[in-house]
Amino acid sequence: MFDYEVLRVIWWALIGVLLTGFAIMDGFDFGVAALLRVLGRTEEERIVLLETIEPTWEGNQVWFILGGGAVFAAWPLLYAASFSGLYVAMFVLLLAFIVRPVGFNFREKVENPRWKLVWDSALIASGVIVMLVCGVAFGNLFLGLPFRFDADLRMTWDGGFFALFKPFALLTGLVSLSMLTAHGATWAAMKADHTIAARAAQVARIASLAYVVLYVAAGIWLAYGIPGFAISGPVVTDGVSNPLAKQVAMGGTWFAGYLTHPWFWLAPVVGILGAIGVQLFVGRRGFAGFASSTLAVGGTIASAGFALFPFLMPSTLDPVSSLTIWDASSSRGTLLTMLVLAAIFMPIIILYTSWVYRVMRGRVTLEHVRKSHGMY
C-alpha cells in the first residue's frame, strides 16, 4: 500500500499533528491557569476562569498521551534517546502535570485565602513551567543535544538539566510562553464572563504582539547565528533504521528546506497572520479570536518542523548519531499497522472531542458562579 519512505514521512507529519493538537488543546488550559491571578481579581472571577477549563482539561491531555505513545511506537530510537537524556526535564514536566489536578481539587476544599493562594500559585506555576519547558525543548533541537551512539547503538549522554537553558533556547521558551499565554487569553475572552473577557482580550493583544516580536527574533537568530545540520552524501530513505549509516555535515542553514520547498513559508506566514487575527478579532468576535490564536500555534509548530526536516534530534557530540526520519523509525510493518489504527481511532477522538465542546459551549458567567456556589 505505502512504501517505507512514504510511511516515514506520514508518521513524521502525524507526530507533528499530535504535537500541534497538544499545544492547541492543552495550551489554552495552561494559558488560562498561568493567567489565573492576572485575569481573576476576585475569588468569583477566578472560579469563572477555572470553570471555563475544568470540564475539558483532562480530556485535552489525551493529545499529550497520544503523542508520547506514537513516539514510542513509531520512533523508538527518538523515544529512548530523548526520555533517557532529558530525564530531569521530563520529570519536571510531568510534575507540573501532576500538580494540576491537585490544585483544581484542593483549592475548592479550603476557605482560607492563604491556602487558596497556595493552590492558585501551584496552578500558575504548572502552566508557566509546561509552556516554557516545551519551548526550551524545541530550541535545543536546533542547537543539538549532547548524545552519541556506539557501534552497538548504545547511547551516551553528556549534559545536565540546566545546560538546556542556553540563550537561544530561552528565547524559544519565551516564544512558547507568549504564544500560549495569548492562546489562553483568547479562550478566556471567548468563554468567560464579559467583565473578565474584556480584560482577557487586552492581555491577548499584548501577548500576541510579544509573540510576533520574539518569533521573528528567533527566526533571525536561527538564520544567522545557529549552524544547521544536513545529511551529506547519499540519502537512503527506505533502509534499515541505523543512524550511524549516514554522514552529517554542520555549518549550513536550518532554512535550507525553505529554499528547496518554498511552500514551507506558508507555515510562518500562517503563524504571523494568526497573531494579527488575534489583534483584530479578540474581544470583538469571540470564536474568530480563538481561531486566529489556533492558527498562530499551528503555524509556529509547523515552521519549526519544516526547518528541522528531516532531523528529529540532532547530536552535537557526534553529528552522525543525529536521528532523522530516515533512520530512527520502527519497521515498515509497524508503521503500517499503526497507520491503520490511527485512521480508525483519530476520527473517533476528534468526533467525541467536538461533541464535548459543543455541549459545553457558551460563557461561564459570574451570575452562574454565584448561584452554583451560594455566593449571594
Side-chain angles (χ1 to χ4, degrees):
M1 184 182 297
F2 296 109
D3 61 30
Y4 205 1
E5 176 185 0
V6 172
L7 283 170
R8 282 168 161 166
V9 173
I10 288 173
W11 273 102
W12 169 79
L14 283 176
I15 291 299
V17 169
L18 293 174
L19 286 175
T20 303
F22 165 61
I24 291 171
M25 302 304 294
D26 241 5
F28 71 77
D29 289 346
F30 289 114
V32 170
L35 293 170
L36 185 59
R37 288 263 167 173
V38 175
L39 300 179
R41 297 179 180 176
T42 65
E43 177 61 14
E44 291 177 351
E45 292 182 348
R46 288 189 279 275
I47 293 174
V48 167
L49 287 167
L50 291 174
E51 289 198 0
T52 66
I53 60 175
E54 279 182 321
T56 56
W57 72 267
E58 287 179 293
N60 290 341
Q61 291 189 166
V62 166
W63 294 95
F64 179 74
I65 297 168
L66 282 175
V71 171
F72 171 78
W75 310 100
L77 287 176
L78 174 64
Y79 183 91
S82 60
F83 276 66
S84 297
L86 299 172
Y87 184 84
V88 176
M90 294 291 183
F91 178 80
V92 170
L93 199 64
L94 290 175
L95 185 61
F97 273 95
I98 292 168
V99 165
R100 299 184 76 207
V102 180
F104 280 126
N105 290 322
F106 274 80
R107 79 173 310 281
E108 296 180 357
K109 299 182 185 300
V110 292
E111 296 301 326
N112 189 311
R114 291 184 179 180
W115 275 110
K116 284 190 181 292
L117 176 60
V118 168
W119 293 116
D120 286 353
S121 299
L123 288 171
I124 292 167
S126 70
V128 171
I129 287 170
V130 172
M131 293 187 291
L132 184 65
V133 169
C134 287
V136 168
F138 258 102
N140 274 281
L141 292 180
F142 291 106
L143 296 170
L145 290 161
F147 71 96
R148 63 159 60 93
F149 292 103
D150 65 15
D152 296 318
L153 294 184
R154 292 174 298 189
M155 191 200 73
T156 300
W157 188 280
D158 185 18
F161 173 68
F162 293 104
L164 297 174
F165 293 88
K166 301 178 180 70
F168 177 76
L170 285 172
L171 176 58
T172 58
L174 292 176
V175 172
S176 173
L177 185 61
S178 58
M179 176 181 71
L180 295 179
T181 298
H183 194 45
T186 60
W187 175 260
M190 181 177 69
K191 290 285 293 181
D193 187 270
H194 288 286
T195 302
I196 305 168
R199 209 175 295 148
Q202 184 178 7
V203 171
R205 293 190 187 97
I206 295 171
S208 63
L209 179 61
Y211 151 76
V212 171
V213 172
L214 294 168
Y215 179 58
V216 171
I220 294 172
W221 193 344
L222 185 64
Y224 297 103
I226 308 295
F229 287 64
I231 299 176
S232 57
V235 179
V236 180
T237 59
D238 57 356
V240 176
S241 288
N242 180 2
L244 303 181
K246 66 178 181 303
Q247 294 297 317
V248 174
M250 293 182 61
T253 173
W254 279 115
F255 286 90
Y258 283 79
L259 300 177
T260 56
H261 302 90
W263 63 270
F264 280 9
W265 288 103
L266 287 174
V269 169
V270 166
I272 298 296
L273 289 178
I276 294 173
V278 171
Q279 298 290 327
L280 295 175
F281 300 127
V282 68
R284 300 186 181 96
R285 300 178 183 176
F287 181 74
F290 181 73
S292 297
S293 177
T294 297
L295 288 177
V297 174
T300 302
I301 294 175
S303 66
F306 289 155
L308 282 166
F309 185 86
F311 287 87
L312 297 171
M313 197 165 86
S315 167
T316 53
L317 289 185
D318 177 24
V320 172
S321 295
S322 298
L323 300 177
T324 74
I325 71 170
W326 312 127
D327 55 30
S329 74
S330 296
S331 67
R332 178 183 179 277
T334 300
L335 295 182
L336 184 58
T337 301
M338 288 176 57
L339 183 60
V340 173
L341 294 174
I344 295 171
F345 289 105
M346 282 286 288
I348 295 174
I349 293 170
I350 293 171
L351 284 172
Y352 81 65
T353 300
S354 301
W355 177 78
V356 168
Y357 278 92
R358 176 172 174 77
V359 170
M360 302 304 299
R361 68 189 181 277
R363 291 185 181 272
V364 179
T365 64
L366 287 168
E367 182 70 16
H368 161 76
V369 166
R370 289 173 185 139
K371 285 183 178 180
S372 61
H373 289 262
M375 291 184 170
Y376 284 103

